[in-house]
Amino acid sequence: MISVGILGGSGYAGKKLLQFCTSHPFVSEYKVYGNKTAGTLISDIFPELTGQVTDTKVESIENLSFSHDLYFVALPHGEALKYVPAIIKNGKKVIDLGGDYRLDDKDEYEKWYGINHSSSELLNQKIYGLADYYGTQYSNTNLVANPGCYPTATLLGLLPFTAGFGDEIISSSTIAYSGTSGAGKTPKQDLLMAEMDGDVSAYKVNSHRHQPEILQTLKKFGFNSPFSFTTHLLPAAVGIYATTSVHLRNNVDEKTVKEYYKTFYENSPFVRLREVPPHMTWVVNTNYCDINISINDKVMIITSTIDNLIKGASGQAIQNMNKLYGWDEVLGIKAQGAKNVSVY
Amino acid sequence: MISVGILGGSGYAGKKLLQFCTSHPFVSEYKVYGNKTAGTLISDIFPELTGQVTDTKVESIENLSFSHDLYFVALPHGEALKYVPAIIKNGKKVIDLGGDYRLDDKDEYEKWYGINHSSSELLNQKIYGLADYYGTQYSNTNLVANPGCYPTATLLGLLPFTAGFGDEIISSSTIAYSGTSGAGKTPKQDLLMAEMDGDVSAYKVNSHRHQPEILQTLKKFGFNSPFSFTTHLLPAAVGIYATTSVHLRNNVDEKTVKEYYKTFYENSPFVRLREVPPHMTWVVNTNYCDINISINDKVMIITSTIDNLIKGASGQAIQNMNKLYGWDEVLGIKAQGAKNVSVY
Amino acid sequence: MISVGILGGSGYAGKKLLQFCTSHPFVSEYKVYGNKTAGTLISDIFPELTGQVTDTKVESIENLSFSHDLYFVALPHGEALKYVPAIIKNGKKVIDLGGDYRLDDKDEYEKWYGINHSSSELLNQKIYGLADYYGTQYSNTNLVANPGCYPTATLLGLLPFTAGFGDEIISSSTIAYSGTSGAGKTPKQDLLMAEMDGDVSAYKVNSHRHQPEILQTLKKFGFNSPFSFTTHLLPAAVGIYATTSVHLRNNVDEKTVKEYYKTFYENSPFVRLREVPPHMTWVVNTNYCDINISINDKVMIITSTIDNLIKGASGQAIQNMNKLYGWDEVLGIKAQGAKNVSVY
Amino acid sequence: MISVGILGGSGYAGKKLLQFCTSHPFVSEYKVYGNKTAGTLISDIFPELTGQVTDTKVESIENLSFSHDLYFVALPHGEALKYVPAIIKNGKKVIDLGGDYRLDDKDEYEKWYGINHSSSELLNQKIYGLADYYGTQYSNTNLVANPGCYPTATLLGLLPFTAGFGDEIISSSTIAYSGTSGAGKTPKQDLLMAEMDGDVSAYKVNSHRHQPEILQTLKKFGFNSPFSFTTHLLPAAVGIYATTSVHLRNNVDEKTVKEYYKTFYENSPFVRLREVPPHMTWVVNTNYCDINISINDKVMIITSTIDNLIKGASGQAIQNMNKLYGWDEVLGIKAQGAKNVSVY
């Protein structure tokens, strides 16, 4: 049993984190630390959680205690830099849900995030916690950088092909759509229901911070072909749908590739390989990533979908906690009693 | 540990039932019986349940076995009449999620449902399972009629006032809105996204079958004033929001009424009394019913909201199962670890 | 041909006003006056209007010119008080889309709006412009108070019955739902797509400012029975659906009432009486109000629906302009070429 | 003034066609011909059109008259083949909104549509009516194949670059999302609000019939690089958003390309070039196509958006009618009074 500190936690991903921690069998207690919300009851921030979480007041982050075993950091980028080094120094573990420790390279971070990285020595000590890919290597670190929502969906779809058939790739283009909860809880005119109902728009075209995060991991698998990444908002609260179009040098056999994916994910309880393009609603409110691949005439279309707040944030964070402590990775984020069922 | 049979189960409420039964600690196994879906894998009917439920084929309802301890019946009205008597005769328990056994009076049933009731002797043996109201009287029956979705929301909001202050009522009007999952999974033009997006419409005005169901229970508490009940579809998949306007003879004190509600529901873990009108999203995906009352100048406005598929169907059915067997009524339908928190 | 000034005009109703003025055959030119938006191009405020309106810069409202013939005032309540008296004094006409001149009584205004009314002498000079009811009496005024969105839907539904059968009413309860554009364009957390998707909530229960506005007009028709009015937000951008439940002393004949409604609205080109409850999408993007009535067993249910931004704001404002100038009232707000078609 | 026959017309695009024909200044009358709807009043098929169109009964398509000047054919593919040849033979004009005459090649048609083409001699007599591209060449034909919705959005975005900079293209990938009205009005489970709310899914991956239609036109401009095309449904009723990712051989200058687009569309009143990615709501209910291009580091992202029922069907059909008759192409599909405004 461990004690958990949650920094931030008043946002959409934070809410899920509170729910998961409440029902996790090995989390004995948790405390939430915040700035503006300090002194507020959890049930006043999230009235819907009344009766579903142990109701406590948010502590001021100024009074952050180092007595917890593990800290989930759900702060805006730049803010995590203020707290993570001290927590690590105190010998405790951190899972950072933000972007501050995802990139390996200080310069790359400063270029894309526009701020100085004051604890870049930690960048190479961290694990980039793409939980469904990595196996057992979590034992040597106290710092997990939880992947971004888009990179999770994109990488889980494209990584196996890169690993197994990367030389076949002429070019790849990922075009992803997200529910608006991904844009956060801060009121903005563009995010109003009255604006977003029936709307779609691309944003941060050619400039999204998740692009270098995706490329960094792809490159570790030898990826060296042209790549583009374009994000959109869609009229829904939750979910990410990523479609990756890969142009191929040759007619790669679809069946062979599917077998490769199957083997690649055979120990990944949260990846479901599908025979048809998945529906986003299949994964909403779950920690699953559903993936389909279709190859025809030198074109491979990969569709992958996740719940941006769970698999793309707090669910994967719990999965990473489970891996950090050597527990069954499905604990607290998968319905009890259900046996795994293979799809292919 | 019990064995469960599910008749029907390929609809929206059935899906939730499968999930609840999978993770319920005292359900050792379940089998699904169906007509058109016989022979189909659960994961083909509900691809999203892959890995979340034990995947089995639907049995033909022709081959219904009486070896289970409890049967959930999720069939269209009229259909339950074919199976429930035999199950009861075999000494097994039934929770019927449909309308066939909710009304006490055979004539009333035949008037509203337009078919002959072939097992009306069971009507007075059943319990009308409005789980959050009834206390301990479940021991004497094998048949629970699970309330309709609208009656659940309406009655939980209006019953306490009727019980405590019924003489003050001049008239009551309930106007309720439901997500379209309440209209079922059968394709109809009116229910298409292309029709329903941005749409609202009233339906079955002055003729909804849930009206006699509501009145039957209200009358048991002495209700004898004019009542109206009007239902609408709203552009959402899930949820019911019921607003009841009560015109009063005198200026009843709001605080006194709120105290009465609090006492009325002090042992009801799934009723949350709110100081502000609840949001429907607060209860979606839960078994809660959130209720607010506001009294001003001889007008009382009651707002109550539920998830139509959970509290209004399968969640309440599980709660009724828990009560039938004398188990903690929150088992399998409430997040583990969370303590109850009072709101007022 | 007239010249028009638009005060405000950067909100949702303002946008429609710009479109209507652009294509109205008797509006030769218009100018928009604003505060925060002064100096901004219309097409920067509303990129979607590019090419659809004559693109000009918003003038500072500080430099308001009195050279226009007619002024549409689309300002927050309280703000209109600063400009309307001077416009009237300069002999020009005003159609106020806000709430400042709707109530007849200064005290009532100050009670509900919480501010002092500095030009209450105008309250009795104005016409309350419920355009589909009033006939020819627009010639004696320069000031039209454009009705609120909820009052428009509610009154058009309930007024005829009040006028013809008011003595039969025991009590009435209007429960109305609105798309979130009714709450305006200012960013608020509660109005985010991420919050509102799949949500419903009641608001301003027993305290909405449109209640005295509705009652003021009803009382002119002898209405003196209990009334309640409750508003909700629904997950849509546009539209109002109002359901009024009327409890009756006797079994009033439905057919007789329908005939009365038909006669009442025989000269109202924008009221469509329906044989079934209307769908909200039937009226969205139009100036219509669709109404259905159903009477059964001493209960009358009136459903009425409008586009809150058009019939509930700018469309009715144009209709009022047409009436002020003695033009065909459908000019600029009804598709050309279509002949009227009776429904009953 | 012309007389118009509409074959089909009970679907979503048909409804818009009726509205446009009603208010078009040069359409004196129209008649609707149908199968299942024969004998039904327009206002019974589309209650929302009551008072907005001249209400008539649908004629049986068996009794098709050749006395009209122009025929809009809005039938499922395969059905148009039965009527178009006879109309043409009678010397009348046809605008076919379906897919039967879009492809130039009989074999290609039969491969993708799976049926025999019985009037392939017409394939080379038709004009492929991508109205915003083609200039004055409509005089020599009686048959216009109205483009598909996806091809309209995709081609208007990609054609100029192909024409001006085609040699720079390594590969292109179009990933498009459509509101569900594009899937038609026939009830299907997958299209229910209860399924589609909050959902996204790809469909017809690597097999959509609009792919050969797009390629056919691209190739006329020399396009000969790898292309992929993937379609999705999104939780909205109306609109298409197409994002095309183009990988480039060199760093093409964005400003130069933008100037080229501007010149390309300088006479196209319905194309709006945007400095930011367009919002889909900007074009819904209009005949506009809004386009943005962004080039960075050998990646060009083209976003283009249309109303699938208007620019992608009936609005473009009216535009094509205007061009066939040599009328101002904006007649009947653009707000009166508005002057065109350039965006760049």
Side-chain angles (χ1 to χ4, degrees), chain A residues 171 173 199 228 232 243 245 279, chain D residues 171 173 199 228 232 243 245 279:
Chain A
S171 66
S173 302
D199 195 24
S228 78
H232 301 70
T243 304
S245 165
H279 283 252
Chain D
S171 67
S173 302
D199 195 24
S228 78
H232 301 70
T243 304
S245 165
H279 283 251

Side-chain angles (χ1 to χ4, degrees), chain B residues 175-231:
Chain B
I175 289 175
Y177 278 61
S178 175
T180 63
S181 62
K185 217 171 159 179
T186 305
K188 291 175 192 161
Q189 196 177 82
D190 275 11
L191 300 175
L192 293 177
M193 161 63 84
E195 299 284 330
M196 280 298 312
D197 192 33
D199 195 25
V200 161
S201 62
Y203 68 101
K204 293 188 188 165
V205 172
N206 280 321
S207 62
H208 199 291
R209 282 172 184 136
H210 285 174
Q211 181 159 342
E213 186 183 331
I214 294 168
L215 277 171
Q216 169 181 283
T217 300
L218 287 176
K219 282 176 180 165
K220 290 178 183 169
F221 287 79
F223 189 89
N224 63 356
S225 46
F227 177 72
S228 78
F229 174 67
T230 314
T231 53

Side-chain angles (χ1 to χ4, degrees), chain B residues 59-126:
Chain B
E59 290 282 322
S60 170
I61 202 166
E62 308 279 313
N63 307 326
L64 181 63
S65 153
F66 296 111
S67 65
H68 305 289
D69 302 293
L70 170 71
Y71 295 77
F72 290 108
V73 181
L75 297 171
H77 69 264
E79 291 296 302
L81 299 177
K82 300 179 186 167
Y83 305 100
V84 170
I87 301 171
I88 296 292
K89 203 176 172 185
N90 277 272
K92 304 309 172 93
K93 295 179 194 297
V94 171
I95 294 172
D96 180 20
L97 284 81
D100 282 348
Y101 295 94
R102 289 180 193 152
L103 298 179
D104 297 341
D105 185 71
K106 177 179 158 70
D107 293 344
E108 188 84 346
Y109 174 83
E110 295 179 349
K111 172 184 158 197
W112 284 90
Y113 286 80
I115 48 177
N116 181 51
H117 201 303
S118 51
S119 53
S120 58
E121 68 284 359
L122 292 175
L123 291 177
N124 293 314
Q125 298 175 26
K126 67 106 191 306

Side-chain angles (χ1 to χ4, degrees), chain B residues 12-56:
Chain B
Y12 293 126
K15 175 186 153 188
K16 300 284 177 185
L17 215 44
L18 293 174
Q19 291 180 285
F20 288 134
C21 286
T22 296
S23 57
H24 196 285
F26 296 157
V27 174
S28 58
E29 55 157 20
Y30 60 83
K31 194 168 279 184
V32 182
Y33 298 88
N35 269 317
K36 295 178 196 162
T37 53
T40 314
L41 274 173
I42 296 295
S43 62
D44 285 335
I45 302 172
F46 301 112
E48 63 270 41
L49 294 189
T50 304
Q52 299 197 68
V53 299
T54 311
D55 208 7
T56 58

